[in-house]
């Protein structure tokens, strides 16, 4: 599995952290890019200090003592000439987690002012899977129209709205629910939460 992962500046760092933690357990590689706003919010929500994507990965690896089978490649958020800015490179899917409404608006309008937006644009034009995890509430009409435009362009909208039928015991369980749903959409068997059996 080869992925592109973008962390945009929305609340909900737990969703990104638990998704990255689960990726550490899987074979494959991920190209990751993180916005300055995402770094600030991650620092605030985890009461730590991270100033780069590398430091987020190190935080996740240390906090959950992961044994990595996965290879991460960090790409600069401002480098729109990066390898993942071109459709001549291939990947199996892209996940924007969490996704700010600013990033949703830019992606839905085809704006490509940073690497998350550009890689998302490439994913859509090359008909690759793009999973967008918005974390906002409530949605206004502009948010809904932008999300609909992304859906119509081929993206999958997976709101950060965890279910409770798996009887979560911790906040991490809620993050794992969203991570598990992403893996389901990527065609990866997941054991982060049990399937509903009726």
């Amino acid at each position: 599995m080869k992925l592109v992962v973008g962390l945009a500046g929305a609340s909900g760092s737990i969703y990104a952290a638990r998704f990255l933690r689960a990726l550490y357990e899987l074979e494959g590689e991920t190209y990751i890019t993180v916005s300055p706003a995402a770094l600030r919010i991650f620092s605030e929500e985890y009461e730590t200090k991270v100033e780069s994507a590398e430091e987020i990965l190190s935080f996740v690896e240390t906090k959950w003592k992961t044994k990595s089978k996965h290879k991460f490649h960090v790409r600069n958020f401002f480098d729109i000439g990066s390898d993942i800015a071109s459709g001549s490179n291939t990947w199996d899917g892209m996940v924007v987690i969490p996704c700010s409404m600013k990033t949703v608006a830019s992606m839905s309008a085809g704006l490509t002012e940073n690497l998350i937006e550009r890689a998302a644009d490439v994913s859509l034009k090359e008909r690759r899977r793009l999973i967008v995890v918005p974390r906002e509430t409530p949605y206004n009409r502009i948010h809904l129209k932008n999300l609909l435009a992304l859906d119509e362009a081929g993206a999958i909208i997976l709101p950060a709205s965890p279910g409770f039928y798996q009887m979560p015991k911790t906040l991490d369980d809620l993050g794992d629910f969203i991570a598990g749903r992403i893996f389901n959409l990527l065609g990866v068997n997941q054991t982060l939460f049990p399937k509903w059996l009726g």
Side-chain angles (χ1 to χ4, degrees):
M1 181 175 58
K2 184 177 180 182
L3 298 178
V4 173
V5 173
L7 278 62
S11 179
S13 300
I14 188 171
Y15 299 113
R18 295 302 287 181
F19 180 64
L20 292 172
R21 185 209 65 78
L23 277 179
Y24 267 106
E25 313 269 326
L26 298 175
E27 301 219 358
E29 59 183 326
T30 290
Y31 293 77
I32 182 171
T33 185
V34 180
S35 75
L39 292 171
R40 174 178 176 174
I41 293 167
F42 195 99
S43 295
E44 291 174 355
E45 293 184 345
Y46 272 107
E47 298 180 319
T48 187
K49 183 64 176 170
V50 293
E51 296 182 347
S52 66
E54 290 92 346
E55 290 183 10
I56 286 180
L57 292 170
S58 178
F59 175 87
V60 169
E61 192 171 13
T62 301
K63 181 173 177 63
W64 290 292
K65 300 178 178 59
T66 58
K67 301 282 191 238
S68 184
K69 297 180 184 176
H70 206 79
K71 187 169 185 180
F72 288 94
H73 311 280
V74 173
R75 294 296 182 260
N76 187 309
F77 175 74
F78 298 104
D79 183 10
I80 59 168
S82 172
D83 48 3
I84 58 171
S86 173
S88 62
N89 293 300
T90 60
W91 51 86
D92 299 310
M94 178 174 179
V95 181
V96 185
I97 180 172
C99 189
S100 66
M101 287 300 118
K102 184 271 180 199
T103 303
V104 166
S106 294
M107 291 187 301
S108 70
L111 300 178
T112 58
E113 296 180 336
N114 59 58
L115 191 54
I116 291 176
E117 295 166 4
R118 177 58 190 164
D121 192 66
V122 169
S123 295
L124 291 174
K125 79 182 183 70
E126 299 293 333
R127 305 299 191 264
R128 297 178 193 153
R129 188 156 295 180
L130 172 63
I131 300 171
V132 177
V133 185
R135 214 308 307 157
E136 185 62 83
T137 191
Y139 293 139
N140 65 35
R141 188 177 181 86
I142 296 169
H143 300 156
L144 293 168
K145 287 173 74 174
N146 289 337
L147 288 167
L148 180 59
L150 273 179
D151 175 83
E152 289 171 341
I156 298 171
I157 310 301
L158 194 162
S161 304
F164 289 84
Y165 59 83
Q166 81 280 21
M167 304 303 288
K169 303 294 188 294
T170 67
L171 291 176
D172 286 345
D173 290 342
L174 299 179
D176 286 348
F177 180 86
I178 297 300
R181 294 304 303 265
I182 294 168
F183 286 125
N184 285 343
L185 290 171
L186 291 170
V188 176
N189 288 329
Q190 62 84 24
T191 58
L192 297 172
F193 68 90
K195 295 177 182 176
W196 176 252
L197 300 176

